[in-house]
Amino acid sequence: MRSFRGGIHLEYAKESTERKRIIKMMPPEKAFILLQQHIGAPCEPLIAVGDEVKVGQKIGEAKAFVSAPVHSSLSGKVASIASVPDCRGGESTAIVIESDGKDEIWEGIIPYGDDLNLLSAEEIKRIVREAGIVGMGGAAFPTHVKLSPPSDKKIDSIILNGCECEPYLTADHRLMIERPEEVIFGLRAVMKALGVEQGYIGIEDNKVDAAERLKAVIGDDSSIKVVLLKVKYPQGSEKHLIDAILHRHVPSGGLPMDVGVVVNNAATAVACARAIKTGMPLIERVLTVAGPGVKEPCNLEVRIGTPFEDVIAECGGLLGSPTKIIMGGPMMGIAQYGLSAPVVKGTSGLLIFSQKEKGRIWTGPCIRCGKCVEVCPMSLIPLELSHLSEKGLFDEAEEYNILDCIECGACSYICPAKRQNLQLIRMGKAEIVAKRRNKLA
Amino acid sequence: MEPVLLRSLISMGILGVLLGAGLAFASKKFIVEVDPRIEAIEELLPGANCGACGFPGCANFAEAVVSSQVSANGCVVGGAGIVDKISQIMGVESAGAVIPKKALLRCGGTCEKALDRGKYSGIEDCRAATLLGGGTKACSFGCLGLGTCVDACPFKAIEMGDDGLPIVNKNICTGCGICVDICPKNLFTLVPETSDVHVLCASTMKGASVRKVCSAGCIGCKRCEKVCDTGAISVTDFLASIDYEKCTTCGKCAENCPTSCIIVLSHQERGLVEVDDIAH
């Protein structure tokens, strides 16, 4: 079975949600639409406080190319444009919308139909951009930018990422089982937008049921292949997906387009399919709510901007008091300071842990066993990087290619001395990037 | 005497004389002229290689002085004492020492006064903790107290206090500014040694928001601005700041500050402290 060098085997803990159907959550009373939910320029509000808005109406946009507009996920009134807690632990500007309970759809929403032959590549790109679609695996990179590579980069393959290699998360898995037609439609749309003949869907071996569903929809169309991959973390990293499926190596500091590939998430494909079929922009997404600290773990389809508190309430509330709340997966997600932040386009999950799972207080010295070197999927030397970073020798760390680290956390997970390798490396990366920025300024 | 011993003594002796002559010749022929002033100046400098002058080390600074790239008072650490001496060596008029500066932590949010919003169990480094959404302190401006400045200070002038905030030892601090650069919250500032009244807060949040997270923060009430006779205090962005040139250290602002975030150092234990002189 295809895979990549390095990586780790985790306890996947997906049982609690992988067989549960996606539940559509009722729209919240209040939605907090952050003006920056993506990588790139933040949006400027297009509406004023007191304005009436409807579901799907564009309420924020930026002029810059690398950006994505935001849309109202409720119908109601704009209560305020204020600074609210965000999922990164700080505060960001958000448009606060109070629902009028009618859930009326904006008049400007027009379906583009089910036939991709009637749409040109440019039209698809425009629809994707207008719908505010971003990478829904977590990084939230604007999808229309991926669909518009510079003319000197020839793209020949598209990979749809259905690996979902993070423990607990099953949102993409359920999407592929319940909406395989939309996944395939979205993939075909992306292929058309880029003029690519060959598409792949990479799925880990523990989701055979999803692969079967997708294969049934594809039928005998040879332009799309479903590839089963070994269950290993971080198989869902785009560089490793390309390595496993196409055996191409993305160069250091490079992007997938440097080897002629564009990688999109399965959920992103579904969002693209919806935007084309119904005209509805990205106003809701499926996320996994799981972990031992939540009463009824499930997969929910929620409106963007729903506060985490409401999401947890929908799942029956908390079990006891949580000791750790993570947005995203447990390996690469972001620890939360509370439940006041809203759902953003990149929220793939919300995990609640109680005392038993949270651990790691003791940290010992490095015994130079080399386990981190063995598991590092980027073939780096994490022990060296973390030592250099710890001592403040950032220039040397840069020579050891610290910036190639994808922050998967395998080195911290495997370390028998429980050293916080990844955190040290992250600090080093941040210091180097800050220094570069200062030099430019 | 054994002939073997004699022979080896003579041959080693001749070899020694020859090599010695060679070395003597080389030292004359290939001599590298070093300006004696560089060595003399280097001798005077503190030798801590702290980098506060903008050069990698004291030797580089000395070279730069001799080649007239920088003026003699570029070494803040050396202070008044060495400026005159360096000027003498260089044969120029003394540029006059810069007023010695000391590092000051602009935060008074001790463990008791400032709230936390979470537990942190990562590596003990403020720079790493700040990457996690600004750290666990509820006040986004406040000192995280993990001691990155303590480790970075080349003069060991900063210690971690029991109340969770670092303490700068005024006698040892040389004003090199390394803590100013390394603090991810930009809480350190260099203040004139002679100044005595300081604002121990860096928050530009509105008063109500400050009160929610810290009882020692500046709420921007402007009371200090009103009582100051010399106009040395001004409040901008809900934060008081002191013009040290105008300040007469009368202490009225500190008396009237409702949250006691303005302090008169000589009446306080916090901030800069006088500890028994160690080396200097």
Side-chain angles (χ1 to χ4, degrees):
Chain A
M1 190 154 305
R2 297 185 187 191
S3 195
F4 60 96
R5 181 213 161 271
I8 47 177
H9 297 284
L10 301 167
E11 250 180 66
Y12 286 91
K14 295 188 189 248
E15 305 78 26
S16 64
T17 53
E18 69 184 343
R19 290 186 205 292
K20 288 190 188 165
R21 287 194 74 84
I22 296 169
I23 302 167
K24 217 169 158 67
M25 183 178 159
M26 289 297 286
E29 278 166 22
K30 244 186 190 183
F32 301 82
I33 314 284
L34 295 185
L35 286 171
Q36 182 164 29
Q37 307 192 19
H38 48 265
I39 292 175
C43 296
E44 297 290 332
L46 296 175
I47 37 82
V49 176
D51 283 3
E52 296 282 334
V53 291
K54 286 181 181 166
V55 178
Q57 186 176 342
K58 185 152 76 177
I59 54 174
E61 191 173 35
K63 286 205 176 68
F65 180 65
V66 184
S67 183
V70 292
H71 303 81
S72 174
S73 56
L74 297 177
S75 70
K77 216 162 94 183
V78 177
S80 60
I81 298 175
S83 214
V84 300
D86 64 25
C87 56
R88 301 213 156 258
E91 288 202 339
S92 305
T93 315
I95 298 174
V96 186
I97 298 166
E98 268 170 18
S99 172
D100 56 9
K102 293 179 201 152
D103 217 26
E104 276 176 307
I105 289 170
W106 187 48
E107 306 78 33
I109 303 285
I110 30 159
Y112 296 93
D114 290 348
D115 193 353
L116 282 174
N117 293 326
L118 300 175
L119 294 168
S120 71
E122 286 312 310
E123 274 173 310
I124 294 173
K125 283 182 207 172
R126 191 187 56 81
I127 295 168
V128 168
R129 180 183 174 139
E130 281 303 300
I133 294 171
V134 300
M136 289 166 80
F141 189 77
T143 302
H144 69 271
V145 181
K146 276 192 191 176
L147 298 187
S148 320
S151 52
D152 59 322
K153 308 272 188 223
K154 181 81 193 84
I155 307 295
D156 58 42
S157 312
I158 289 181
I159 297 178
L160 215 53
N161 187 351
C163 288
E164 205 163 46
C165 58
E166 283 261 13
Y168 290 98
L169 303 187
T170 57
D172 288 356
H173 183 185
R174 290 309 307 179
L175 266 182
M176 289 188 287
I177 288 177
E178 293 179 33
R179 300 169 193 171
E181 297 86 6
E182 290 186 14
V183 175
I184 301 296
F185 186 88
L187 175 56
R188 285 198 175 117
V190 173
M191 283 164 67
K192 170 132 197 204
L194 279 164
V196 170
E197 301 293 318
Q198 191 62 56
Y200 299 90
I201 305 176
I203 297 178
E204 279 190 344
D205 195 23
N206 57 359
K207 292 181 264 293
V208 181
D209 46 355
E212 293 305 323
R213 293 283 173 109
L214 290 171
K215 276 182 191 158
V217 174
I218 295 165
D220 47 10
D221 179 358
S222 63
S223 67
I224 298 178
K225 278 192 193 123
V226 175
V227 186
L228 279 181
L229 303 162
K230 200 166 156 185
V231 181
K232 193 162 74 169
Y233 178 86
Q235 185 62 73
S237 146
E238 56 181 14
K239 285 175 186 166
H240 300 95
L241 204 53
I242 296 169
D243 183 10
I245 295 179
L246 296 168
H247 308 299
R248 294 184 200 169
H249 185 71
V250 180
S252 168
L255 291 168
M257 64 170 74
D258 293 329
V259 291
V261 186
V262 164
V263 181
N264 274 313
N265 195 270
T268 313
V270 173
C272 291
R274 292 231 156 153
I276 294 167
K277 282 184 176 174
T278 66
M280 185 55 85
L282 182 53
I283 55 146
E284 55 189 347
R285 70 157 296 148
V286 179
L287 58 91
T288 305
V289 187
V294 63
K295 271 199 188 128
E296 292 160 27
C298 57
N299 280 306
L300 283 180
E301 183 158 34
V302 303
R303 300 285 168 99
I304 304 291
T306 308
F308 287 160
E309 285 158 315
D310 295 9
V311 174
I312 295 297
E314 182 79 12
C315 301
L318 296 170
L319 267 181
S321 61
T323 48
K324 195 150 197 169
I325 302 167
I326 296 174
M327 186 196 93
M331 295 300 287
M332 289 189 72
I334 306 165
Q336 301 293 307
Y337 288 105
L339 284 170
S340 45
V343 171
V344 289
K345 292 172 185 173
T347 306
S348 52
L350 190 60
L351 306 179
I352 315 280
F353 294 97
S354 43
Q355 191 63 47
K356 223 177 108 201
E357 279 70 26
K358 190 194 137 289
R360 140 141 354 182
I361 302 295
W362 172 85
T363 298
C366 171
I367 56 168
R368 308 189 87 82
C369 63
K371 275 192 177 166
C372 53
V373 183
E374 227 166 79
V375 301
C376 179
M378 292 304 289
S379 303
L380 299 172
I381 315 171
L383 69 102
E384 208 63 59
L385 296 177
S386 72
H387 279 136
L388 290 171
S389 197
E390 197 170 23
K391 293 187 186 118
L393 301 171
F394 303 121
D395 292 342
E396 276 182 56
E398 202 178 345
E399 283 170 28
Y400 277 85
N401 297 319
I402 192 171
L403 293 178
D404 278 349
C405 168
I406 59 165
E407 307 189 5
C408 68
C411 52
S412 293
Y413 182 88
I414 206 80
C415 182
K418 303 216 182 299
R419 273 174 61 80
Q420 317 250 11
N421 292 318
L422 174 59
Q423 209 194 357
L424 286 162
I425 292 172
R426 250 187 203 159
M427 179 177 86
K429 284 175 75 176
E431 290 288 314
I432 291 164
V433 171
K435 207 188 259 177
R436 277 191 185 174
R437 207 175 292 143
N438 286 345
K439 250 183 214 166
L440 287 177
Chain B
M1 200 183 272
E2 287 278 327
V4 177
L5 190 63
L6 197 66
R7 270 207 299 275
S8 42
L9 271 178
I10 291 168
S11 61
M12 290 307 281
I14 292 169
L15 205 61
V17 169
L18 280 177
L19 286 173
L23 280 175
F25 173 74
S27 74
K28 286 269 187 256
K29 175 84 183 165
F30 305 115
I31 189 159
V32 180
E33 291 282 352
V34 179
D35 195 326
R37 293 179 298 177
I38 294 178
E39 272 176 42
I41 293 174
E42 210 190 320
E43 200 81 344
L44 290 169
L45 294 171
N49 296 324
C50 68
C53 54
F55 294 92
C58 294
N60 307 70
F61 173 72
E63 271 171 43
V65 171
V66 170
S67 58
S68 308
Q69 284 172 27
V70 287
S71 78
N73 62 5
C75 177
V76 279
V77 178
I82 68 162
V83 178
D84 293 343
K85 287 181 192 161
I86 295 177
S87 305
Q88 227 170 13
I89 293 170
M90 290 299 294
V92 293
E93 211 166 296
S94 175
V98 275
I99 302 169
K101 292 199 165 183
K102 305 287 171 186
L104 176 88
L105 182 78
R106 296 183 300 144
C107 178
T110 57
C111 298
E112 290 133 43
K113 289 175 181 163
L115 297 177
D116 280 331
R117 56 174 178 160
K119 260 187 207 157
Y120 176 74
S121 60
I123 55 173
E124 295 276 308
D125 195 308
C126 302
R127 290 170 296 180
T130 306
L131 291 178
L132 304 169
T136 47
K137 208 151 202 167
C139 171
S140 59
F141 295 89
C143 171
L144 298 176
L146 296 170
T148 298
C149 51
V150 176
D151 296 336
C153 180
F155 302 96
K156 298 199 170 22
I158 309 179
E159 272 174 48
M160 189 49 70
D162 297 332
D163 54 5
L165 293 182
I167 302 167
V168 180
N169 185 332
K170 193 176 177 179
N171 289 331
I172 307 176
C173 176
T174 60
C176 71
I178 283 178
C179 51
V180 177
D181 290 338
I182 208 156
C183 176
K185 298 276 182 186
N186 289 320
L187 285 175
F188 280 104
T189 178
L190 296 177
V191 296
E193 190 180 39
T194 46
S195 59
D196 200 22
V197 183
H198 302 285
V199 181
L200 295 192
C201 183
S203 164
T204 53
M205 291 189 292
K206 282 184 185 168
S209 314
V210 172
R211 277 207 186 274
K212 268 184 216 161
V213 293
C214 181
S215 64
C218 177
I219 54 173
C221 67
K222 300 204 176 192
R223 218 184 271 182
C224 48
E225 212 177 72
K226 281 171 204 142
V227 297
C228 183
D229 295 327
T230 57
I233 290 202
S234 58
V235 177
T236 38
D237 289 339
F238 313 101
L239 179 64
S241 64
I242 297 176
D243 183 342
Y244 294 112
E245 286 191 357
K246 289 185 189 161
C247 178
T248 58
T249 64
C250 67
K252 273 189 199 166
C253 50
E255 281 164 30
N256 284 285
C257 180
T259 60
S260 304
C261 73
I262 303 180
I263 55 140
V264 182
L265 267 187
S266 45
H267 303 169
Q268 289 279 330
E269 291 166 4
R270 270 240 65 78
L272 300 164
V273 288
E274 302 265 355
V275 178
D276 286 337
D277 208 71
I278 301 172
H280 291 243

